[in-house]
Amino acid sequence: MISTQETVAQDSARDGRRRLLWIVYLLSFAILVWFFVEGFDYYMTPYTERPHHPDYRGLRPAGSRGLAYGIAGSVMMVMMLVYSLRKRTRLLGRSLPLRPLLDFHIYLGIIGPLFIVLHTSLKVQGLVAVSFWSMVAVAASGFFGRYLYLQIPRNIAGKELTLQEMEQTSADTAGNLKARFKLDDITLGQVDALFEKRLIPRGNATFAAILSLMIDDLIRPVVKSKLRRQLLKIVWLPRDQFRDLFETSFTRALLRRRIHLLGQVQRLFHYWHVIHKPFAIIMYFIMAIHIGIAIWTGYGWIS
Protein backbone atom coordinates (compact mmCIF):
# COMPACT_ATOMS: atom_id res chain seq x y z
CA MET A 1 0.00 0.00 0.00
CA ILE A 2 1.24 3.50 -0.80
CA SER A 3 0.70 6.15 1.88
CA THR A 4 -0.37 9.77 1.48
CA GLN A 5 3.06 10.88 2.73
CA GLU A 6 4.73 8.75 0.06
CA THR A 7 2.44 10.23 -2.58
CA VAL A 8 3.45 13.75 -1.50
CA ALA A 9 7.12 12.74 -1.60
CA GLN A 10 6.65 11.35 -5.11
CA ASP A 11 4.98 14.55 -6.28
CA SER A 12 7.72 16.71 -4.75
CA ALA A 13 10.52 14.64 -6.26
CA ARG A 14 8.76 14.58 -9.63
CA ASP A 15 8.28 18.38 -9.62
CA GLY A 16 11.93 18.98 -8.76
CA ARG A 17 13.08 16.56 -11.45
CA ARG A 18 10.74 18.15 -13.98
CA ARG A 19 12.14 21.64 -13.29
CA LEU A 20 15.70 20.37 -13.65
CA LEU A 21 14.80 18.61 -16.90
CA TRP A 22 13.28 21.79 -18.31
CA ILE A 23 16.49 23.68 -17.58
CA VAL A 24 18.67 20.96 -19.15
CA TYR A 25 16.43 20.71 -22.22
CA LEU A 26 16.35 24.47 -22.73
CA LEU A 27 20.14 24.74 -22.46
CA SER A 28 20.64 21.80 -24.83
CA PHE A 29 18.22 23.14 -27.42
CA ALA A 30 19.81 26.60 -27.16
CA ILE A 31 23.24 25.09 -27.90
CA LEU A 32 21.89 23.06 -30.81
CA VAL A 33 20.10 26.08 -32.28
CA TRP A 34 23.32 28.08 -31.99
CA PHE A 35 25.25 25.36 -33.86
CA PHE A 36 22.57 25.22 -36.54
CA VAL A 37 22.37 28.99 -37.01
CA GLU A 38 26.15 29.25 -37.17
CA GLY A 39 26.25 26.70 -40.01
CA PHE A 40 22.96 27.72 -41.62
CA ASP A 41 24.53 29.10 -44.80
CA TYR A 42 26.47 25.86 -45.36
CA TYR A 43 23.45 23.64 -44.63
CA MET A 44 21.34 25.59 -47.14
CA THR A 45 24.00 25.34 -49.86
CA PRO A 46 23.18 22.76 -52.61
CA TYR A 47 25.01 19.50 -52.00
CA THR A 48 27.07 19.68 -55.20
CA GLU A 49 28.32 23.17 -54.32
CA ARG A 50 29.27 22.48 -50.72
CA PRO A 51 32.93 21.54 -51.44
CA HIS A 52 33.45 25.17 -52.49
CA HIS A 53 31.92 26.60 -49.32
CA PRO A 54 34.41 28.07 -46.78
CA ASP A 55 32.90 25.95 -43.95
CA TYR A 56 33.10 22.70 -45.90
CA ARG A 57 36.17 21.32 -44.13
CA GLY A 58 34.63 21.97 -40.74
CA LEU A 59 30.95 21.11 -41.18
CA ARG A 60 31.02 18.18 -43.61
CA PRO A 61 30.43 14.81 -41.87
CA ALA A 62 34.17 14.07 -41.94
CA GLY A 63 35.08 17.62 -40.94
CA SER A 64 36.40 18.77 -37.61
CA ARG A 65 33.06 19.95 -36.26
CA GLY A 66 30.88 17.58 -38.26
CA LEU A 67 32.69 14.58 -36.83
CA ALA A 68 32.50 16.04 -33.33
CA TYR A 69 28.72 16.26 -33.71
CA GLY A 70 28.64 12.64 -34.82
CA ILE A 71 30.72 11.46 -31.89
CA ALA A 72 28.61 13.45 -29.42
CA GLY A 73 25.39 12.02 -30.85
CA SER A 74 26.76 8.46 -30.96
CA VAL A 75 27.97 8.63 -27.36
CA MET A 76 24.53 9.79 -26.29
CA MET A 77 22.85 6.98 -28.21
CA VAL A 78 25.15 4.41 -26.57
CA MET A 79 24.55 5.94 -23.13
CA MET A 80 20.84 5.30 -23.64
CA LEU A 81 21.62 1.64 -23.01
CA VAL A 82 22.34 2.41 -19.34
CA TYR A 83 18.60 2.46 -18.70
CA SER A 84 18.13 -0.92 -20.40
CA LEU A 85 21.04 -2.42 -18.44
CA ARG A 86 19.60 -1.15 -15.15
CA LYS A 87 16.10 -2.36 -15.99
CA ARG A 88 16.91 -5.82 -17.34
CA THR A 89 20.12 -6.86 -15.55
CA ARG A 90 21.80 -6.66 -12.14
CA LEU A 91 25.00 -5.10 -13.49
CA LEU A 92 24.17 -1.67 -12.07
CA GLY A 93 22.61 -2.93 -8.85
CA ARG A 94 19.31 -1.54 -7.59
CA SER A 95 20.56 1.75 -6.13
CA LEU A 96 19.77 3.73 -9.30
CA PRO A 97 16.03 4.58 -9.43
CA LEU A 98 14.35 3.83 -12.76
CA ARG A 99 12.34 7.02 -13.22
CA PRO A 100 15.29 9.48 -13.29
CA LEU A 101 17.15 7.03 -15.52
CA LEU A 102 14.16 6.92 -17.87
CA ASP A 103 14.11 10.72 -18.01
CA PHE A 104 17.84 10.66 -18.84
CA HIS A 105 17.22 7.92 -21.42
CA ILE A 106 14.58 10.03 -23.17
CA TYR A 107 16.72 13.17 -23.00
CA LEU A 108 19.57 11.33 -24.74
CA GLY A 109 17.09 9.88 -27.26
CA ILE A 110 16.03 13.41 -28.22
CA ILE A 111 19.29 15.35 -28.11
CA GLY A 112 21.49 12.56 -29.52
CA PRO A 113 19.58 12.29 -32.83
CA LEU A 114 19.71 16.08 -33.23
CA PHE A 115 23.50 15.96 -32.99
CA ILE A 116 23.44 13.17 -35.58
CA VAL A 117 21.37 15.43 -37.85
CA LEU A 118 24.09 18.09 -37.58
CA HIS A 119 26.71 15.40 -38.24
CA THR A 120 25.01 14.48 -41.52
CA SER A 121 24.90 18.20 -42.42
CA LEU A 122 21.20 17.63 -43.15
CA LYS A 123 22.01 15.17 -45.95
CA VAL A 124 21.13 11.51 -45.26
CA GLN A 125 21.81 8.88 -47.90
CA GLY A 126 22.95 5.30 -48.43
CA LEU A 127 23.03 2.68 -45.69
CA VAL A 128 23.28 5.36 -43.03
CA ALA A 129 19.79 6.52 -44.04
CA VAL A 130 18.37 3.22 -42.75
CA SER A 131 20.02 3.80 -39.36
CA PHE A 132 18.94 7.44 -39.36
CA TRP A 133 15.28 6.72 -40.00
CA SER A 134 15.39 3.85 -37.52
CA MET A 135 16.75 6.37 -35.03
CA VAL A 136 13.88 8.74 -35.84
CA ALA A 137 11.40 5.88 -35.35
CA VAL A 138 13.02 5.00 -32.01
CA ALA A 139 12.84 8.62 -30.83
CA ALA A 140 9.23 9.10 -32.00
CA SER A 141 8.02 5.83 -30.50
CA GLY A 142 9.94 6.72 -27.34
CA PHE A 143 7.63 9.69 -26.76
CA PHE A 144 4.62 7.42 -26.98
CA GLY A 145 6.25 4.78 -24.78
CA ARG A 146 7.04 7.38 -22.14
CA TYR A 147 3.42 8.46 -22.13
CA LEU A 148 2.21 4.89 -21.69
CA TYR A 149 4.78 4.33 -18.93
CA LEU A 150 3.41 7.31 -17.00
CA GLN A 151 -0.11 5.89 -17.19
CA ILE A 152 0.96 2.91 -15.05
CA PRO A 153 1.14 4.03 -11.39
CA ARG A 154 4.41 3.23 -9.62
CA ASN A 155 5.90 3.79 -6.20
CA ILE A 156 8.83 6.11 -5.52
CA ALA A 157 11.31 3.35 -6.40
CA GLY A 158 9.71 2.93 -9.83
CA LYS A 159 8.03 -0.41 -9.09
CA GLU A 160 4.61 -0.89 -10.67
CA LEU A 161 1.77 -0.80 -8.14
CA THR A 162 -0.71 -3.62 -7.93
CA LEU A 163 -4.39 -2.98 -8.60
CA GLN A 164 -5.10 -3.51 -4.90
CA GLU A 165 -2.51 -0.88 -3.93
CA MET A 166 -4.00 1.60 -6.37
CA GLU A 167 -7.52 0.99 -5.09
CA GLN A 168 -6.32 1.41 -1.50
CA THR A 169 -4.56 4.67 -2.37
CA SER A 170 -7.74 5.98 -3.99
CA ALA A 171 -9.78 5.00 -0.91
CA ASP A 172 -7.24 6.64 1.43
CA THR A 173 -7.35 9.84 -0.62
CA ALA A 174 -11.16 9.85 -0.49
CA GLY A 175 -11.05 9.53 3.30
CA ASN A 176 -8.50 12.33 3.45
CA LEU A 177 -10.75 14.58 1.35
CA LYS A 178 -13.75 13.96 3.61
CA ALA A 179 -11.75 14.65 6.77
CA ARG A 180 -9.85 17.74 5.57
CA PHE A 181 -12.69 19.53 3.83
CA LYS A 182 -15.68 18.27 5.85
CA LEU A 183 -17.34 16.63 2.85
CA ASP A 184 -20.26 14.27 3.26
CA ASP A 185 -20.71 11.20 1.09
CA ILE A 186 -23.16 12.91 -1.26
CA THR A 187 -20.86 15.88 -1.89
CA LEU A 188 -17.83 13.64 -2.36
CA GLY A 189 -19.84 11.58 -4.85
CA GLN A 190 -20.71 14.72 -6.78
CA VAL A 191 -17.05 15.79 -6.84
CA ASP A 192 -15.96 12.35 -8.03
CA ALA A 193 -18.64 12.27 -10.71
CA LEU A 194 -17.58 15.70 -12.00
CA PHE A 195 -13.91 14.75 -12.40
CA GLU A 196 -14.48 11.22 -13.64
CA LYS A 197 -16.99 12.34 -16.27
CA ARG A 198 -14.37 14.65 -17.77
CA LEU A 199 -11.20 12.59 -17.26
CA ILE A 200 -12.23 8.95 -17.65
CA PRO A 201 -13.03 7.96 -21.26
CA ARG A 202 -16.01 5.75 -21.98
CA GLY A 203 -15.96 2.66 -24.16
CA ASN A 204 -13.49 -0.18 -24.58
CA ALA A 205 -11.63 0.89 -27.74
CA THR A 206 -7.98 1.02 -26.64
CA PHE A 207 -6.57 3.40 -29.22
CA ALA A 208 -9.55 5.76 -28.97
CA ALA A 209 -9.19 5.85 -25.18
CA ILE A 210 -5.44 6.55 -25.31
CA LEU A 211 -5.95 9.24 -27.95
CA SER A 212 -8.57 10.84 -25.72
CA LEU A 213 -6.12 10.81 -22.79
CA MET A 214 -3.36 12.39 -24.86
CA ILE A 215 -5.65 15.17 -26.08
CA ASP A 216 -6.83 15.85 -22.53
CA ASP A 217 -3.26 16.02 -21.28
CA LEU A 218 -2.22 18.34 -24.11
CA ILE A 219 -5.01 20.77 -23.21
CA ARG A 220 -4.80 20.13 -19.46
CA PRO A 221 -4.83 23.87 -18.47
CA VAL A 222 -8.13 24.28 -20.36
CA VAL A 223 -9.57 21.13 -18.80
CA LYS A 224 -8.58 22.21 -15.29
CA SER A 225 -9.99 25.69 -15.76
CA LYS A 226 -13.37 24.28 -16.81
CA LEU A 227 -13.40 21.80 -13.93
CA ARG A 228 -12.62 24.56 -11.40
CA ARG A 229 -15.66 26.55 -12.54
CA GLN A 230 -17.86 23.47 -12.30
CA LEU A 231 -16.49 22.50 -8.88
CA LEU A 232 -17.38 25.94 -7.54
CA LYS A 233 -21.03 25.06 -8.16
CA ILE A 234 -20.68 22.03 -5.86
CA VAL A 235 -18.34 23.16 -3.08
CA TRP A 236 -17.51 26.59 -1.73
CA LEU A 237 -14.34 26.95 0.35
CA PRO A 238 -11.76 29.67 1.07
CA ARG A 239 -9.34 30.09 -1.84
CA ASP A 240 -6.41 28.11 -0.40
CA GLN A 241 -8.61 25.24 0.73
CA PHE A 242 -10.47 25.19 -2.57
CA ARG A 243 -7.17 24.97 -4.46
CA ASP A 244 -6.05 22.05 -2.26
CA LEU A 245 -9.40 20.31 -2.73
CA PHE A 246 -9.24 20.76 -6.49
CA GLU A 247 -5.66 19.52 -6.90
CA THR A 248 -6.22 16.51 -4.62
CA SER A 249 -9.45 15.60 -6.41
CA PHE A 250 -7.82 16.02 -9.79
CA THR A 251 -4.90 13.77 -8.80
CA ARG A 252 -7.32 11.17 -7.45
CA ALA A 253 -9.33 11.28 -10.70
CA LEU A 254 -6.13 10.68 -12.68
CA LEU A 255 -5.46 7.64 -10.49
CA ARG A 256 -9.01 6.39 -11.07
CA ARG A 257 -8.46 6.90 -14.79
CA ARG A 258 -5.30 4.79 -14.67
CA ILE A 259 -7.09 2.05 -12.74
CA HIS A 260 -9.92 2.08 -15.27
CA LEU A 261 -7.55 1.77 -18.24
CA LEU A 262 -4.82 -0.33 -16.62
CA GLY A 263 -5.41 -3.46 -18.68
CA GLN A 264 -5.62 -1.56 -21.97
CA VAL A 265 -2.48 0.47 -21.26
CA GLN A 266 -0.47 -2.60 -20.25
CA ARG A 267 -1.56 -4.42 -23.40
CA LEU A 268 -0.65 -1.46 -25.60
CA PHE A 269 2.65 -1.06 -23.75
CA HIS A 270 3.48 -4.66 -24.65
CA TYR A 271 2.74 -4.03 -28.33
CA TRP A 272 4.83 -0.85 -28.17
CA HIS A 273 7.86 -2.90 -27.10
CA VAL A 274 7.36 -5.15 -30.12
CA ILE A 275 7.65 -2.12 -32.41
CA HIS A 276 10.28 -0.14 -30.50
CA LYS A 277 12.92 -2.84 -30.07
CA PRO A 278 13.46 -3.84 -33.73
CA PHE A 279 14.06 -0.23 -34.75
CA ALA A 280 16.55 0.16 -31.89
CA ILE A 281 18.41 -3.02 -32.90
CA ILE A 282 18.63 -1.90 -36.55
CA MET A 283 19.82 1.55 -35.49
CA TYR A 284 22.62 0.26 -33.25
CA PHE A 285 23.69 -2.43 -35.71
CA ILE A 286 24.14 -0.03 -38.65
CA MET A 287 25.63 2.63 -36.39
CA ALA A 288 28.27 0.11 -35.27
CA ILE A 289 29.06 -0.74 -38.92
CA HIS A 290 29.30 2.95 -39.78
CA ILE A 291 31.65 3.71 -36.88
CA GLY A 292 33.74 0.61 -37.59
CA ILE A 293 34.21 1.59 -41.24
CA ALA A 294 35.03 5.16 -40.22
CA ILE A 295 37.77 3.98 -37.85
CA TRP A 296 39.11 1.40 -40.34
CA THR A 297 39.35 3.94 -43.17
CA GLY A 298 40.71 6.76 -41.01
CA TYR A 299 37.54 8.81 -41.49
CA GLY A 300 38.11 12.49 -40.72
CA TRP A 301 40.37 13.13 -37.75
CA ILE A 302 39.64 9.76 -36.04
CA SER A 303 42.98 8.48 -37.35
Side-chain angles (χ1 to χ4, degrees):
M1 181 177 66
I2 181 171
S3 65
T4 303
Q5 290 80 4
E6 188 175 356
T7 302
V8 172
Q10 287 182 22
D11 292 340
S12 178
R14 184 168 55 249
D15 290 343
R17 190 166 63 247
R18 186 180 295 120
R19 284 192 293 269
L20 178 61
L21 276 173
W22 271 109
I23 293 172
V24 173
Y25 271 110
L26 288 173
L27 287 174
S28 300
F29 281 124
I31 292 171
L32 285 163
V33 168
W34 182 69
F35 286 152
F36 176 75
V37 171
E38 194 177 35
F40 182 78
D41 186 64
Y42 173 77
Y43 297 136
M44 295 299 104
T45 300
Y47 191 66
T48 55
E49 299 177 15
R50 287 184 181 183
H52 306 292
H53 195 281
D55 291 331
Y56 175 70
R57 295 188 64 82
L59 293 178
R60 67 193 178 104
S64 55
R65 287 173 57 188
L67 198 54
Y69 295 148
I71 292 173
S74 298
V75 168
M76 289 183 177
M77 301 304 285
V78 171
M79 288 178 66
M80 288 173 61
L81 296 173
V82 171
Y83 172 74
S84 298
L85 286 173
R86 163 62 179 85
K87 184 178 179 181
R88 295 181 173 84
T89 72
R90 297 181 179 274
L91 293 178
L92 300 178
R94 297 298 177 188
S95 58
L96 290 173
L98 280 174
R99 281 201 174 184
L101 272 182
L102 179 59
D103 290 333
F104 185 57
H105 175 84
I106 294 173
Y107 165 78
L108 295 174
I110 295 171
I111 303 302
L114 293 177
F115 270 107
I116 298 297
V117 170
L118 290 176
H119 167 62
T120 65
S121 63
L122 279 65
K123 184 68 175 181
V124 181
Q125 57 186 355
L127 183 63
V128 176
V130 179
S131 179
F132 177 81
W133 290 113
S134 295
M135 178 184 67
V136 172
V138 168
S141 64
F143 281 108
F144 186 60
R146 169 63 168 170
Y147 183 79
L148 293 178
Y149 178 89
L150 291 176
Q151 302 311 306
I152 303 175
R154 302 171 190 273
N155 60 23
I156 199 167
K159 183 180 178 181
E160 186 176 327
L161 299 179
T162 65
L163 182 59
Q164 183 180 4
E165 288 173 325
M166 287 185 273
E167 293 282 8
Q168 186 61 55
T169 300
S170 178
D172 290 345
T173 306
N176 180 264
L177 284 171
K178 292 172 66 175
R180 285 178 61 194
F181 303 107
K182 307 295 191 294
L183 303 180
D184 56 35
D185 290 337
I186 295 176
T187 305
L188 180 62
Q190 292 174 328
V191 172
D192 285 344
L194 169 65
F195 282 88
E196 291 183 7
K197 181 179 179 181
R198 183 61 184 84
L199 295 176
I200 298 181
R202 303 304 173 196
N204 297 318
T206 300
F207 286 103
I210 298 300
L211 180 61
S212 174
L213 300 190
M214 296 178 74
I215 293 173
D216 274 355
D217 287 340
L218 284 173
I219 61 170
R220 181 170 291 188
V222 176
V223 173
K224 295 181 82 169
S225 177
K226 184 176 180 179
L227 285 171
R228 282 192 191 94
R229 292 194 298 270
Q230 293 175 329
L231 184 60
L232 279 170
K233 299 176 181 179
I234 300 173
V235 180
W236 186 92
L237 290 168
R239 179 177 298 179
D240 290 345
Q241 292 186 37
F242 181 83
R243 183 177 62 248
D244 290 344
L245 171 64
F246 178 83
E247 293 298 336
T248 304
S249 299
F250 191 86
T251 301
R252 179 168 181 261
L254 292 180
L255 177 61
R256 299 300 305 171
R257 181 177 79 175
R258 291 168 181 171
I259 293 172
H260 178 73
L261 294 172
L262 182 61
Q264 293 166 286
V265 170
Q266 288 175 327
R267 185 164 55 253
L268 196 57
F269 198 50
H270 168 74
Y271 293 144
W272 170 81
H273 275 101
V274 174
I275 297 172
H276 187 72
K277 286 182 180 179
F279 282 120
I281 292 170
I282 292 170
M283 176 192 72
Y284 283 116
F285 178 72
I286 298 179
M287 186 177 76
I289 293 175
H290 176 70
I291 293 173
I293 292 174
I295 294 174
W296 182 47
T297 59
Y299 188 70
W301 44 265
I302 287 180
S303 58

